[in-house]
Amino acid sequence: MQNDAVRAYLLDLQARITQACTAVDGGAFRTDRWTKEPGEPLQGDGTTMILEQGPVLERAGVGFSHVRGPRLPPSATQHRPELAGAPFEALGVSLVFHPRNPYAPTVHMNVRMISAAPAGGSSAFWFGGGMDLTPCYGFEDDAVHFHQVCRRAVEPFGPDKYPRFKRWCDEYFHLKHRAEQRGIGGIFFDDLAELGFDGGFAMMRSVGDAFLDAYLPILERRKDLPYGERQRDFQLYRRGRYVEFNLVWDRGTHFGLQSGGRTESILLSMPPLCSWSYRHEPEPGSPEADLTSRFLQPREWA
């Protein structure tokens, strides 16, 4: 019954988010429903919804999945060694939007629940998720707005939640091999069981429900700003950093691939285009240099 309630909420969240984004972009999401075949490492189903080459959203993916597997992969038991190898069930919605306009930031959001039942032990469940913003060009008011909405989403569950989850987000979305933040952060939490099922589910819903309020006002005010080849080239270069994080460091990507998940759905977060350049050095004092010096630094935005 608990998993049924989580599933119903997540499917409704996916529908609400894609409908709101269609209203902004004008393009329709392609709906790809899938089921894991018998004999595959995982069993279950999901729905991947994707919009590509829209006038506002160059690529937007919103994926729902509900899968079961015979053993938790290593990426899920780093902090729970007693559950290593236990059968598990995982439900979640994950999204990434890559806008066309370089002044409009990329955004990621994920909410999920995982339960596990080790042989001879008591079953366990936990919640995870959060949202974070990755601009190519920094705007103070965008960062402040995004963090204020994140703070309001988790404050009802304890005064410690926003400072703790904000710090966790800054630490998690860090490209260690570059000594660089991926973006301006937001909130991130994982292995959350301290609130019990009802409290954890309520907080997960609060985070999911806050996403549109956090992101759409930013997208609306940046999507039509004029830009040129310089801004587009810098956007593609910064997207390369996004790809590096997702493939090298992201636990969600590793969980999906290690557990035998659906590759197309796992990699829907990838941008449609990106680029790399050797030892790229932005011009001192430029907006491109401003991104690294002022925005890709952990700060108290809210």
Side-chain angles (χ1 to χ4, degrees), residues 164-275:
R164 177 178 154 199
F165 296 164
K166 191 266 184 193
R167 182 172 60 253
W168 200 342
C169 188
D170 289 337
E171 293 172 353
Y172 181 78
F173 291 104
H174 180 75
L175 285 81
K176 299 178 182 66
H177 63 291
R178 299 277 191 186
E180 179 182 287
Q181 298 300 116
R182 187 173 85 170
I184 59 99
I187 51 174
F188 176 80
F189 62 96
D190 200 4
D191 298 310
L192 185 84
E194 66 202 59
L195 300 176
F197 177 84
D198 290 341
F201 185 27
M203 196 182 80
M204 188 192 83
R205 294 197 308 270
S206 185
V207 171
D209 293 345
F211 170 73
L212 292 174
D213 290 339
Y215 184 64
L216 285 192
I218 297 172
L219 182 63
E220 289 279 9
R221 64 177 171 248
R222 305 299 171 203
K223 66 184 179 66
D224 296 320
L225 292 179
Y227 66 90
E229 185 177 348
R230 169 176 168 167
Q231 289 77 26
R232 176 63 168 172
D233 287 346
F234 188 65
Q235 178 191 46
L236 299 184
Y237 164 72
R238 291 304 311 175
R239 283 178 176 177
R241 293 287 205 268
Y242 203 90
V243 169
E244 288 179 23
F245 179 86
N246 279 18
L247 294 182
V248 177
W249 300 109
D250 186 59
R251 284 179 61 194
T253 301
H254 297 168
F255 176 91
L257 296 176
Q258 290 172 0
S259 62
R262 187 172 182 265
T263 302
E264 283 294 324
S265 299
I266 297 164
L267 298 182
L268 65 78
S269 63
M270 294 296 116
L273 296 170
C274 58
S275 68

Side-chain angles (χ1 to χ4, degrees), residues 24-180:
V24 174
D25 182 89
F29 278 79
R30 171 188 171 189
T31 299
D32 184 13
R33 294 184 174 86
W34 51 268
T35 302
K36 301 296 289 183
E37 297 296 329
E40 292 193 43
L42 292 181
Q43 297 300 303
D45 67 294
T47 302
T48 299
M49 300 187 71
I50 185 138
L51 188 159
E52 295 184 290
Q53 301 305 323
V56 175
L57 297 168
E58 192 169 11
R59 191 165 203 249
V62 187
F64 162 79
S65 64
H66 183 182
V67 296
R68 294 166 294 280
R71 61 188 61 85
L72 277 165
S75 58
T77 57
Q78 291 178 6
H79 307 295
R80 294 171 175 268
E82 73 279 7
L83 298 178
F88 72 96
E89 189 167 355
L91 305 88
V93 161
S94 182
L95 67 81
V96 176
F97 296 165
H98 295 287
R100 185 174 296 278
N101 192 309
Y103 291 115
T106 289
V107 70
H108 159 258
M109 191 274 288
N110 173 274
V111 285
R112 61 190 177 275
M113 188 192 90
I114 300 176
S115 59
S122 58
S123 60
F125 66 87
W126 62 97
F127 294 89
M131 64 181 99
D132 65 286
L133 199 68
T134 306
C136 297
Y137 290 90
F139 294 93
E140 294 267 347
D141 51 343
D142 291 355
V144 169
H145 168 81
F146 190 81
H147 274 271
Q148 286 178 340
V149 175
C150 286
R151 182 177 63 187
R152 289 196 298 268
V154 298
E155 269 186 336
F157 304 93
D160 66 309
K161 295 300 184 291
Y162 172 73
R164 177 178 154 199
F165 296 164
K166 191 266 184 193
R167 182 172 60 253
W168 200 342
C169 188
D170 289 337
E171 293 172 353
Y172 181 78
F173 291 104
H174 180 75
L175 285 81
K176 299 178 182 66
H177 63 291
R178 299 277 191 186
E180 179 182 287

